[in-house]
Amino acid sequence: MRAFRFQSPVFTPLLLILSLLAPVLLFAQDASQQTRPRRAGEGKPPEVLSEPAVEAVRLQGEPTVRIGLSTDARAVTVSTSGQQLLSTTSEAQPPTPLSVARVRVESRALTPLSDPANSFRVEIAGAATRVDADRAAEEIRTQTGETSEVSFDAQTKTWRLLVGERQSRDEAEELRTRLEDAGFASAALVNAQGLKADETAKVSKPGERITSANQSNVRATALTAAPTRELAVYAAGAGALFSSRAPVIFASADERSAPVRFNEKSYRGRIEVFPNARGGLTVVNVLGLEDYVRGVVPNELSPGGYPALEALKAQAVAARTYAVKNLNQFASQGFDLLPTTRSQVYGGLTTEHPLSTRAVEETRGIVATYRGDPINALYTSTCGGRTEDVENIFNEATPYLRGRECALEGKAALAAFIVKSSREPAEVRDEANAELPRAAAVLAVHGFQLSTSRVTDAWLNAPATLAEVRGWLGTVARLARQTPPAVAEDATQPPGFSSALAAAFYGTGRADTLMDNADVEYLLAFRDAGEVPAQNRADVAMLLRDGALSLYPDATLKPREMMPRGRMLRAIARLLETRNALQLQKGTTRATVGGAMVLRSNKNRDQSIAVSSDAYLFRAFGDSTAYQMRTLSLVGGEPVTFHLNANGQVDYLEARPAPNGASAERVSPFTNWTSELSLAQTQARLSRWARGIGSMTDLKVSGRGSSRRVIDLEMVGTNGTAHVRGGRIRSALGLREQLFVIDRRYDAAGRVTGFTFTGRGWGHGVGLCQVGAYGLAKQGLSYDKILKAYYTGIELTKMY
């Protein structure tokens, strides 16, 4: 059965609630048999994109899904931009056209929460001082509009905040999600007696989810009827249009061009409203699975931020598979899934994007299966370079949720990002000459004539000829827009070269004018300074002061000896570069495409620049020295210095490693992070698991998973130790991920005062890495290969 669509304003019958559930019931019946192979003759097998080990379960048509948009509203507004709404409440009643385009729905005779044990507030613990707590309360009010009650916790000797009013558990869960999304960590639910709610497996940021252990037990969605309450439907400026004790279903008379809206936000399908047992209203969006996935993909993986079709197709399959696997997750409340990170982020029609819609359409009906069953397609925002075995985070092993590298294997991970040159690298083995190939290359691309095609130690250590010096200094004068100086024969020695270089770059008389004798004598404090002729002393002093000229390791200048080429080239390059006389440009790369260098321009656009076939290529390895290479890997994010020749091609390129490394998720803003906590804050956040240990004195990593994530954290106290394990480590500490290392901070007495957590990634780290999928797509992987890179042993199956 397909999702319901209105075909005319009045005369098309509106399917009732039970008939809306027919696809779900069919799937539930089918799913009960999915642990065994299907018998012959049970229907046409699904189309399998890769041969599975076990025949996959079949869905009888596109399922209808029910998304709980709101679970405890006091009143809701339903509208359409068209002329009128349609509504119905019973099986025998055709859709009734309402005379208005906007209605307000309320529940009469609301019953307040009477059991304090079942009403909750959100608690944020761990503020070291009242000032910190008040500051946090003000930030919460600014960002969420919620007020907070500040109180002192005598047990932990810290301050805590109780946020919001008493409300149902679902409302409190939604508030907790909003607080954690806003960056307020370690939020917990407490009831009126101050008892914490049982821990629920929830996630804190894009795409993280966990469900009950009995994943395969699929049941039909049941509405939570509240016969003692009724719905009253009002129009603006008028009395009640009608009232009903049954759920009311609203739709637009023209769904395609004027969809139904809930609280001014447009949705495909229909909006169903019914009173719940807590005295509020539940609002459900009822629509086909494909339309639902259209509203999920752009909210889970932004097409604007990550515009790669194959990555979005992988996200579409993952989102569709997760929905199929978790239908009826909230059946007792009358819907299947929530529109938040507790299920999947769903934003309705207004959030759809043409590129993500194309991804959904091109993967229609395709789900990921393992041994014939749809998988629980967990995914995480940024995995930090590796995903984790699921049992280390969520305590239950699953064969397809195994730890994987977030990159292609071996050298293939960099193969698409190589820039090559035919130029032979310099042959330099003398450590003293390590930086000179770069100096020679920088000068060569600026017109300096070198008497060799390949720089070697022998060529660098040999004395420069007078002809070479005259040519080089003439080029210096041209770049500095000075008159070329007269170069005497003494220019091959350090003193004469210094005066000639200063004249070529600055013009005559600069050092002699700006430095007096005391300055000169003060600077010429090296062993053989007395051998520098008087007419050259000021120029030598100035170039030494400015870092252009350098001494030998024994603190001598050797004024009477012929000056080696390498020392001359170093002095010229340093002077020109420090005085910004070279035409070198700087930028940050995007991933290389087709051997060209790609830069992000100031207008936020990618600019591709061809690299000359004989370009000088250099790479720095963490220090100031850059080494010449025949190839460079530019994965994106590398700071580069480059020069363009007359043809607009790169003829000199120097790159430093990208700070986020080379994993597929490196473009995420959350690849690397740091967080600091004091000792008191740490104990307060871990207080639930640290009872009985006394005052905390240290925090240790006792176990790591296959991806090096912390899966066992030991708290050391004055009275003993305690442990927190699995996926709760991240949420308990309020960190983005649990792929981290710990550095301790100490006081003067050597006692631990706090911790610095340095980590990678954002999320639980299990399953598909969303930003990593984008990185793999940019490397040319198709969506099916991306999915199989993260989900071990799966097949892709067209289910309807």
Side-chain angles (χ1 to χ4, degrees), residues 410-421 590-598 609 611 617 619 629-636 638 653 666 779:
K411 294 183 178 180
L414 303 177
F417 309 119
I418 299 295
V419 173
K420 298 180 180 180
S421 173
R590 305 284 279 180
T592 293
V593 177
M597 181 176 72
V598 182
I609 306 175
V611 178
L617 303 180
R619 177 166 182 179
M629 303 285 168
R630 295 195 66 171
T631 63
L632 282 181
S633 298
L634 300 180
V635 300
E638 291 90 355
L653 178 58
R666 63 188 174 274
Q779 288 184 255

PDB file of all heavy atoms in Angstrom, residues 410-421 590-598 609 611 617 619 629-636 638 653 666 779:
ATOM      1  N   GLY A 410      45.640   1.532   2.983  1.00  0.00           N
ATOM      2  CA  GLY A 410      47.004   1.725   2.495  1.00  0.00           C
ATOM      3  C   GLY A 410      47.178   2.998   1.684  1.00  0.00           C
ATOM      4  O   GLY A 410      46.583   4.044   1.950  1.00  0.00           O
ATOM      5  N   LYS A 411      48.019   2.903   0.632  1.00  0.00           N
ATOM      6  CA  LYS A 411      48.329   4.063  -0.195  1.00  0.00           C
ATOM      7  C   LYS A 411      47.124   4.538  -0.996  1.00  0.00           C
ATOM      8  O   LYS A 411      47.104   5.672  -1.483  1.00  0.00           O
ATOM      9  CB  LYS A 411      49.486   3.739  -1.132  1.00  0.00           C
ATOM     10  CG  LYS A 411      50.806   3.491  -0.404  1.00  0.00           C
ATOM     11  CD  LYS A 411      51.944   3.240  -1.377  1.00  0.00           C
ATOM     12  CE  LYS A 411      53.258   3.046  -0.639  1.00  0.00           C
ATOM     13  NZ  LYS A 411      54.391   2.790  -1.574  1.00  0.00           N
ATOM     14  N   ALA A 412      46.124   3.685  -1.142  1.00  0.00           N
ATOM     15  CA  ALA A 412      44.922   4.084  -1.876  1.00  0.00           C
ATOM     16  C   ALA A 412      44.223   5.262  -1.200  1.00  0.00           C
ATOM     17  O   ALA A 412      43.502   6.024  -1.853  1.00  0.00           O
ATOM     18  CB  ALA A 412      43.954   2.914  -1.996  1.00  0.00           C
ATOM     19  N   ALA A 413      44.445   5.431   0.112  1.00  0.00           N
ATOM     20  CA  ALA A 413      43.811   6.526   0.834  1.00  0.00           C
ATOM     21  C   ALA A 413      44.272   7.886   0.317  1.00  0.00           C
ATOM     22  O   ALA A 413      43.551   8.877   0.446  1.00  0.00           O
ATOM     23  CB  ALA A 413      44.115   6.408   2.330  1.00  0.00           C
ATOM     24  N   LEU A 414      45.478   7.947  -0.277  1.00  0.00           N
ATOM     25  CA  LEU A 414      46.027   9.223  -0.739  1.00  0.00           C
ATOM     26  C   LEU A 414      46.133   9.311  -2.259  1.00  0.00           C
ATOM     27  O   LEU A 414      46.491  10.360  -2.798  1.00  0.00           O
ATOM     28  CB  LEU A 414      47.418   9.442  -0.123  1.00  0.00           C
ATOM     29  CG  LEU A 414      47.497   9.414   1.407  1.00  0.00           C
ATOM     30  CD1 LEU A 414      48.943   9.562   1.854  1.00  0.00           C
ATOM     31  CD2 LEU A 414      46.644  10.506   2.017  1.00  0.00           C
ATOM     32  N   ALA A 415      45.816   8.220  -2.950  1.00  0.00           N
ATOM     33  CA  ALA A 415      46.081   8.148  -4.385  1.00  0.00           C
ATOM     34  C   ALA A 415      45.375   9.241  -5.170  1.00  0.00           C
ATOM     35  O   ALA A 415      45.896   9.737  -6.174  1.00  0.00           O
ATOM     36  CB  ALA A 415      45.671   6.779  -4.920  1.00  0.00           C
ATOM     37  N   ALA A 416      44.206   9.657  -4.733  1.00  0.00           N
ATOM     38  CA  ALA A 416      43.439  10.648  -5.497  1.00  0.00           C
ATOM     39  C   ALA A 416      43.928  12.069  -5.280  1.00  0.00           C
ATOM     40  O   ALA A 416      43.483  12.989  -5.963  1.00  0.00           O
ATOM     41  CB  ALA A 416      41.957  10.556  -5.124  1.00  0.00           C
ATOM     42  N   PHE A 417      44.851  12.248  -4.340  1.00  0.00           N
ATOM     43  CA  PHE A 417      45.220  13.612  -3.942  1.00  0.00           C
ATOM     44  C   PHE A 417      46.679  13.950  -4.255  1.00  0.00           C
ATOM     45  O   PHE A 417      47.257  14.840  -3.648  1.00  0.00           O
ATOM     46  CB  PHE A 417      44.973  13.798  -2.442  1.00  0.00           C
ATOM     47  CG  PHE A 417      43.601  13.393  -2.007  1.00  0.00           C
ATOM     48  CD1 PHE A 417      43.410  12.372  -1.089  1.00  0.00           C
ATOM     49  CD2 PHE A 417      42.483  14.024  -2.520  1.00  0.00           C
ATOM     50  CE1 PHE A 417      42.146  11.995  -0.695  1.00  0.00           C
ATOM     51  CE2 PHE A 417      41.211  13.648  -2.142  1.00  0.00           C
ATOM     52  CZ  PHE A 417      41.036  12.637  -1.228  1.00  0.00           C
ATOM     53  N   ILE A 418      47.286  13.265  -5.211  1.00  0.00           N
ATOM     54  CA  ILE A 418      48.706  13.426  -5.493  1.00  0.00           C
ATOM     55  C   ILE A 418      48.937  14.520  -6.535  1.00  0.00           C
ATOM     56  O   ILE A 418      48.295  14.548  -7.585  1.00  0.00           O
ATOM     57  CB  ILE A 418      49.316  12.102  -5.992  1.00  0.00           C
ATOM     58  CG1 ILE A 418      49.176  11.016  -4.912  1.00  0.00           C
ATOM     59  CG2 ILE A 418      50.769  12.292  -6.378  1.00  0.00           C
ATOM     60  CD1 ILE A 418      49.949  11.288  -3.660  1.00  0.00           C
ATOM     61  N   VAL A 419      49.890  15.408  -6.239  1.00  0.00           N
ATOM     62  CA  VAL A 419      50.410  16.383  -7.192  1.00  0.00           C
ATOM     63  C   VAL A 419      51.833  15.940  -7.532  1.00  0.00           C
ATOM     64  O   VAL A 419      52.631  15.672  -6.634  1.00  0.00           O
ATOM     65  CB  VAL A 419      50.424  17.802  -6.598  1.00  0.00           C
ATOM     66  CG1 VAL A 419      51.132  18.776  -7.531  1.00  0.00           C
ATOM     67  CG2 VAL A 419      48.998  18.270  -6.328  1.00  0.00           C
ATOM     68  N   LYS A 420      52.171  15.861  -8.828  1.00  0.00           N
ATOM     69  CA  LYS A 420      53.454  15.311  -9.253  1.00  0.00           C
ATOM     70  C   LYS A 420      54.281  16.354  -9.996  1.00  0.00           C
ATOM     71  O   LYS A 420      53.749  17.307 -10.566  1.00  0.00           O
ATOM     72  CB  LYS A 420      53.236  14.101 -10.166  1.00  0.00           C
ATOM     73  CG  LYS A 420      52.507  12.945  -9.505  1.00  0.00           C
ATOM     74  CD  LYS A 420      52.341  11.786 -10.484  1.00  0.00           C
ATOM     75  CE  LYS A 420      51.617  10.620  -9.813  1.00  0.00           C
ATOM     76  NZ  LYS A 420      51.436   9.478 -10.746  1.00  0.00           N
ATOM     77  N   SER A 421      55.625  16.133  -9.995  1.00  0.00           N
ATOM     78  CA  SER A 421      56.558  16.977 -10.749  1.00  0.00           C
ATOM     79  C   SER A 421      57.615  16.094 -11.384  1.00  0.00           C
ATOM     80  O   SER A 421      58.039  15.083 -10.814  1.00  0.00           O
ATOM     81  CB  SER A 421      57.230  17.999  -9.829  1.00  0.00           C
ATOM     82  OG  SER A 421      58.235  18.708 -10.522  1.00  0.00           O
ATOM     83  N   ARG A 590      41.946  22.798  -0.609  1.00  0.00           N
ATOM     84  CA  ARG A 590      40.878  21.814  -0.590  1.00  0.00           C
ATOM     85  C   ARG A 590      41.477  20.537  -1.176  1.00  0.00           C
ATOM     86  O   ARG A 590      42.614  20.528  -1.642  1.00  0.00           O
ATOM     87  CB  ARG A 590      39.700  22.296  -1.437  1.00  0.00           C
ATOM     88  CG  ARG A 590      39.190  23.657  -1.017  1.00  0.00           C
ATOM     89  CD  ARG A 590      38.369  23.600   0.229  1.00  0.00           C
ATOM     90  NE  ARG A 590      37.011  23.180  -0.059  1.00  0.00           N
ATOM     91  CZ  ARG A 590      36.062  23.035   0.842  1.00  0.00           C
ATOM     92  NH1 ARG A 590      36.320  23.249   2.112  1.00  0.00           N
ATOM     93  NH2 ARG A 590      34.848  22.649   0.505  1.00  0.00           N
ATOM     94  N   ALA A 591      40.737  19.458  -1.161  1.00  0.00           N
ATOM     95  CA  ALA A 591      41.263  18.204  -1.687  1.00  0.00           C
ATOM     96  C   ALA A 591      41.619  18.363  -3.169  1.00  0.00           C
ATOM     97  O   ALA A 591      40.863  18.917  -3.951  1.00  0.00           O
ATOM     98  CB  ALA A 591      40.246  17.086  -1.514  1.00  0.00           C
ATOM     99  N   THR A 592      42.804  17.873  -3.534  1.00  0.00           N
ATOM    100  CA  THR A 592      43.274  17.952  -4.911  1.00  0.00           C
ATOM    101  C   THR A 592      42.337  17.199  -5.848  1.00  0.00           C
ATOM    102  O   THR A 592      41.859  16.114  -5.524  1.00  0.00           O
ATOM    103  CB  THR A 592      44.683  17.353  -5.011  1.00  0.00           C
ATOM    104  OG1 THR A 592      45.580  18.194  -4.288  1.00  0.00           O
ATOM    105  CG2 THR A 592      45.141  17.254  -6.446  1.00  0.00           C
ATOM    106  N   VAL A 593      42.088  17.767  -7.008  1.00  0.00           N
ATOM    107  CA  VAL A 593      41.252  17.129  -8.023  1.00  0.00           C
ATOM    108  C   VAL A 593      42.040  17.081  -9.321  1.00  0.00           C
ATOM    109  O   VAL A 593      42.472  18.117  -9.824  1.00  0.00           O
ATOM    110  CB  VAL A 593      39.936  17.910  -8.242  1.00  0.00           C
ATOM    111  CG1 VAL A 593      39.133  17.268  -9.362  1.00  0.00           C
ATOM    112  CG2 VAL A 593      39.125  17.961  -6.953  1.00  0.00           C
ATOM    113  N   GLY A 594      42.259  15.877  -9.863  1.00  0.00           N
ATOM    114  CA  GLY A 594      42.922  15.719 -11.147  1.00  0.00           C
ATOM    115  C   GLY A 594      44.334  16.253 -11.185  1.00  0.00           C
ATOM    116  O   GLY A 594      44.797  16.695 -12.237  1.00  0.00           O
ATOM    117  N   GLY A 595      45.063  16.228 -10.075  1.00  0.00           N
ATOM    118  CA  GLY A 595      46.432  16.697 -10.051  1.00  0.00           C
ATOM    119  C   GLY A 595      46.594  18.192  -9.949  1.00  0.00           C
ATOM    120  O   GLY A 595      47.716  18.697  -9.944  1.00  0.00           O
ATOM    121  N   ALA A 596      45.495  18.940  -9.883  1.00  0.00           N
ATOM    122  CA  ALA A 596      45.546  20.392  -9.741  1.00  0.00           C
ATOM    123  C   ALA A 596      45.434  20.762  -8.264  1.00  0.00           C
ATOM    124  O   ALA A 596      44.880  20.012  -7.461  1.00  0.00           O
ATOM    125  CB  ALA A 596      44.431  21.052 -10.534  1.00  0.00           C
ATOM    126  N   MET A 597      45.988  21.915  -7.919  1.00  0.00           N
ATOM    127  CA  MET A 597      45.835  22.424  -6.558  1.00  0.00           C
ATOM    128  C   MET A 597      44.517  23.183  -6.472  1.00  0.00           C
ATOM    129  O   MET A 597      44.198  24.005  -7.338  1.00  0.00           O
ATOM    130  CB  MET A 597      46.997  23.349  -6.201  1.00  0.00           C
ATOM    131  CG  MET A 597      46.918  23.886  -4.781  1.00  0.00           C
ATOM    132  SD  MET A 597      48.344  24.896  -4.328  1.00  0.00           S
ATOM    133  CE  MET A 597      48.034  26.364  -5.297  1.00  0.00           C
ATOM    134  N   VAL A 598      43.727  22.896  -5.429  1.00  0.00           N
ATOM    135  CA  VAL A 598      42.430  23.549  -5.246  1.00  0.00           C
ATOM    136  C   VAL A 598      42.486  24.367  -3.967  1.00  0.00           C
ATOM    137  O   VAL A 598      42.842  23.856  -2.908  1.00  0.00           O
ATOM    138  CB  VAL A 598      41.287  22.518  -5.165  1.00  0.00           C
ATOM    139  CG1 VAL A 598      39.946  23.231  -5.022  1.00  0.00           C
ATOM    140  CG2 VAL A 598      41.284  21.633  -6.408  1.00  0.00           C
ATOM    141  N   ILE A 609      43.862  25.443  -9.580  1.00  0.00           N
ATOM    142  CA  ILE A 609      45.040  26.042 -10.211  1.00  0.00           C
ATOM    143  C   ILE A 609      45.944  24.915 -10.694  1.00  0.00           C
ATOM    144  O   ILE A 609      46.331  24.038  -9.907  1.00  0.00           O
ATOM    145  CB  ILE A 609      45.814  26.935  -9.227  1.00  0.00           C
ATOM    146  CG1 ILE A 609      44.878  27.979  -8.604  1.00  0.00           C
ATOM    147  CG2 ILE A 609      46.982  27.621  -9.925  1.00  0.00           C
ATOM    148  CD1 ILE A 609      45.539  28.826  -7.535  1.00  0.00           C
ATOM    149  N   VAL A 611      49.178  22.849 -11.785  1.00  0.00           N
ATOM    150  CA  VAL A 611      50.553  22.779 -11.298  1.00  0.00           C
ATOM    151  C   VAL A 611      51.452  22.425 -12.477  1.00  0.00           C
ATOM    152  O   VAL A 611      51.198  21.453 -13.198  1.00  0.00           O
ATOM    153  CB  VAL A 611      50.694  21.731 -10.178  1.00  0.00           C
ATOM    154  CG1 VAL A 611      52.139  21.629  -9.711  1.00  0.00           C
ATOM    155  CG2 VAL A 611      49.777  22.087  -9.008  1.00  0.00           C
ATOM    156  N   LEU A 617      58.428  21.201  -5.747  1.00  0.00           N
ATOM    157  CA  LEU A 617      57.489  20.761  -4.717  1.00  0.00           C
ATOM    158  C   LEU A 617      58.236  20.556  -3.415  1.00  0.00           C
ATOM    159  O   LEU A 617      59.256  19.849  -3.375  1.00  0.00           O
ATOM    160  CB  LEU A 617      56.801  19.458  -5.129  1.00  0.00           C
ATOM    161  CG  LEU A 617      56.036  19.463  -6.459  1.00  0.00           C
ATOM    162  CD1 LEU A 617      55.411  18.092  -6.701  1.00  0.00           C
ATOM    163  CD2 LEU A 617      54.972  20.549  -6.486  1.00  0.00           C
ATOM    164  N   ARG A 619      57.774  19.940   1.025  1.00  0.00           N
ATOM    165  CA  ARG A 619      56.901  19.627   2.151  1.00  0.00           C
ATOM    166  C   ARG A 619      57.665  19.801   3.453  1.00  0.00           C
ATOM    167  O   ARG A 619      58.809  19.346   3.577  1.00  0.00           O
ATOM    168  CB  ARG A 619      56.365  18.203   2.068  1.00  0.00           C
ATOM    169  CG  ARG A 619      55.500  17.862   3.285  1.00  0.00           C
ATOM    170  CD  ARG A 619      54.673  16.638   3.135  1.00  0.00           C
ATOM    171  NE  ARG A 619      53.868  16.436   4.331  1.00  0.00           N
ATOM    172  CZ  ARG A 619      53.008  15.446   4.493  1.00  0.00           C
ATOM    173  NH1 ARG A 619      52.812  14.588   3.524  1.00  0.00           N
ATOM    174  NH2 ARG A 619      52.322  15.315   5.612  1.00  0.00           N
ATOM    175  N   MET A 629      60.345  17.349  -2.878  1.00  0.00           N
ATOM    176  CA  MET A 629      59.717  16.071  -3.182  1.00  0.00           C
ATOM    177  C   MET A 629      59.383  15.999  -4.679  1.00  0.00           C
ATOM    178  O   MET A 629      59.291  17.017  -5.359  1.00  0.00           O
ATOM    179  CB  MET A 629      58.402  15.917  -2.380  1.00  0.00           C
ATOM    180  CG  MET A 629      58.562  16.038  -0.893  1.00  0.00           C
ATOM    181  SD  MET A 629      59.311  14.560  -0.216  1.00  0.00           S
ATOM    182  CE  MET A 629      59.707  15.119   1.442  1.00  0.00           C
ATOM    183  N   ARG A 630      59.149  14.793  -5.151  1.00  0.00           N
ATOM    184  CA  ARG A 630      58.630  14.629  -6.514  1.00  0.00           C
ATOM    185  C   ARG A 630      57.110  14.593  -6.525  1.00  0.00           C
ATOM    186  O   ARG A 630      56.486  14.846  -7.550  1.00  0.00           O
ATOM    187  CB  ARG A 630      59.194  13.353  -7.142  1.00  0.00           C
ATOM    188  CG  ARG A 630      60.690  13.381  -7.344  1.00  0.00           C
ATOM    189  CD  ARG A 630      61.160  12.290  -8.268  1.00  0.00           C
ATOM    190  NE  ARG A 630      60.673  12.463  -9.629  1.00  0.00           N
ATOM    191  CZ  ARG A 630      61.084  11.731 -10.672  1.00  0.00           C
ATOM    192  NH1 ARG A 630      61.984  10.775 -10.503  1.00  0.00           N
ATOM    193  NH2 ARG A 630      60.590  11.943 -11.876  1.00  0.00           N
ATOM    194  N   THR A 631      56.514  14.237  -5.391  1.00  0.00           N
ATOM    195  CA  THR A 631      55.051  14.224  -5.281  1.00  0.00           C
ATOM    196  C   THR A 631      54.635  14.834  -3.944  1.00  0.00           C
ATOM    197  O   THR A 631      55.373  14.765  -2.956  1.00  0.00           O
ATOM    198  CB  THR A 631      54.490  12.787  -5.358  1.00  0.00           C
ATOM    199  OG1 THR A 631      54.980  12.021  -4.253  1.00  0.00           O
ATOM    200  CG2 THR A 631      54.879  12.110  -6.666  1.00  0.00           C
ATOM    201  N   LEU A 632      53.454  15.436  -3.936  1.00  0.00           N
ATOM    202  CA  LEU A 632      52.838  15.941  -2.718  1.00  0.00           C
ATOM    203  C   LEU A 632      51.419  15.403  -2.632  1.00  0.00           C
ATOM    204  O   LEU A 632      50.702  15.351  -3.631  1.00  0.00           O
ATOM    205  CB  LEU A 632      52.770  17.471  -2.717  1.00  0.00           C
ATOM    206  CG  LEU A 632      54.034  18.270  -2.406  1.00  0.00           C
ATOM    207  CD1 LEU A 632      53.712  19.764  -2.450  1.00  0.00           C
ATOM    208  CD2 LEU A 632      54.600  17.903  -1.050  1.00  0.00           C
ATOM    209  N   SER A 633      50.997  15.020  -1.422  1.00  0.00           N
ATOM    210  CA  SER A 633      49.607  14.628  -1.178  1.00  0.00           C
ATOM    211  C   SER A 633      48.887  15.819  -0.566  1.00  0.00           C
ATOM    212  O   SER A 633      49.258  16.277   0.511  1.00  0.00           O
ATOM    213  CB  SER A 633      49.544  13.427  -0.232  1.00  0.00           C
ATOM    214  OG  SER A 633      50.180  12.313  -0.793  1.00  0.00           O
ATOM    215  N   LEU A 634      47.876  16.303  -1.263  1.00  0.00           N
ATOM    216  CA  LEU A 634      47.086  17.428  -0.776  1.00  0.00           C
ATOM    217  C   LEU A 634      45.659  16.943  -0.528  1.00  0.00           C
ATOM    218  O   LEU A 634      44.822  16.915  -1.425  1.00  0.00           O
ATOM    219  CB  LEU A 634      47.102  18.578  -1.791  1.00  0.00           C
ATOM    220  CG  LEU A 634      48.476  19.161  -2.130  1.00  0.00           C
ATOM    221  CD1 LEU A 634      48.341  20.276  -3.147  1.00  0.00           C
ATOM    222  CD2 LEU A 634      49.187  19.663  -0.881  1.00  0.00           C
ATOM    223  N   VAL A 635      45.391  16.512   0.716  1.00  0.00           N
ATOM    224  CA  VAL A 635      44.088  15.941   1.049  1.00  0.00           C
ATOM    225  C   VAL A 635      43.057  17.013   1.388  1.00  0.00           C
ATOM    226  O   VAL A 635      41.865  16.737   1.497  1.00  0.00           O
ATOM    227  CB  VAL A 635      44.210  14.944   2.222  1.00  0.00           C
ATOM    228  CG1 VAL A 635      45.148  13.812   1.874  1.00  0.00           C
ATOM    229  CG2 VAL A 635      44.661  15.657   3.497  1.00  0.00           C
ATOM    230  N   GLY A 636      43.535  18.235   1.564  1.00  0.00           N
ATOM    231  CA  GLY A 636      42.652  19.330   1.950  1.00  0.00           C
ATOM    232  C   GLY A 636      42.963  19.801   3.354  1.00  0.00           C
ATOM    233  O   GLY A 636      43.108  18.997   4.273  1.00  0.00           O
ATOM    234  N   GLU A 638      45.741  21.703   4.002  1.00  0.00           N
ATOM    235  CA  GLU A 638      47.162  22.007   4.126  1.00  0.00           C
ATOM    236  C   GLU A 638      47.409  23.509   3.953  1.00  0.00           C
ATOM    237  O   GLU A 638      46.957  24.104   2.962  1.00  0.00           O
ATOM    238  CB  GLU A 638      47.993  21.273   3.065  1.00  0.00           C
ATOM    239  CG  GLU A 638      48.078  19.785   3.243  1.00  0.00           C
ATOM    240  CD  GLU A 638      46.983  19.034   2.535  1.00  0.00           C
ATOM    241  OE1 GLU A 638      46.080  19.702   1.965  1.00  0.00           O
ATOM    242  OE2 GLU A 638      47.009  17.801   2.540  1.00  0.00           O
ATOM    243  N   LEU A 653      55.646  25.166  -4.981  1.00  0.00           N
ATOM    244  CA  LEU A 653      54.570  24.802  -4.054  1.00  0.00           C
ATOM    245  C   LEU A 653      55.184  24.186  -2.809  1.00  0.00           C
ATOM    246  O   LEU A 653      55.912  23.199  -2.882  1.00  0.00           O
ATOM    247  CB  LEU A 653      53.611  23.801  -4.705  1.00  0.00           C
ATOM    248  CG  LEU A 653      52.451  23.288  -3.850  1.00  0.00           C
ATOM    249  CD1 LEU A 653      51.585  24.431  -3.346  1.00  0.00           C
ATOM    250  CD2 LEU A 653      51.610  22.295  -4.636  1.00  0.00           C
ATOM    251  N   ARG A 666      38.120  14.220   7.834  1.00  0.00           N
ATOM    252  CA  ARG A 666      38.985  15.331   8.237  1.00  0.00           C
ATOM    253  C   ARG A 666      38.350  16.706   8.032  1.00  0.00           C
ATOM    254  O   ARG A 666      38.774  17.681   8.649  1.00  0.00           O
ATOM    255  CB  ARG A 666      40.301  15.264   7.459  1.00  0.00           C
ATOM    256  CG  ARG A 666      40.107  15.418   5.969  1.00  0.00           C
ATOM    257  CD  ARG A 666      41.374  15.163   5.179  1.00  0.00           C
ATOM    258  NE  ARG A 666      41.096  15.186   3.738  1.00  0.00           N
ATOM    259  CZ  ARG A 666      40.675  14.147   3.047  1.00  0.00           C
ATOM    260  NH1 ARG A 666      40.489  12.989   3.668  1.00  0.00           N
ATOM    261  NH2 ARG A 666      40.446  14.247   1.756  1.00  0.00           N
ATOM    262  N   GLN A 779      36.461  10.934  -2.849  1.00  0.00           N
ATOM    263  CA  GLN A 779      37.530  10.108  -3.404  1.00  0.00           C
ATOM    264  C   GLN A 779      37.017   9.191  -4.503  1.00  0.00           C
ATOM    265  O   GLN A 779      37.775   8.379  -5.028  1.00  0.00           O
ATOM    266  CB  GLN A 779      38.189   9.280  -2.304  1.00  0.00           C
ATOM    267  CG  GLN A 779      39.045  10.107  -1.365  1.00  0.00           C
ATOM    268  CD  GLN A 779      39.756   9.251  -0.340  1.00  0.00           C
ATOM    269  OE1 GLN A 779      39.383   9.216   0.825  1.00  0.00           O
ATOM    270  NE2 GLN A 779      40.790   8.559  -0.762  1.00  0.00           N
TER     271      GLN A 779
END
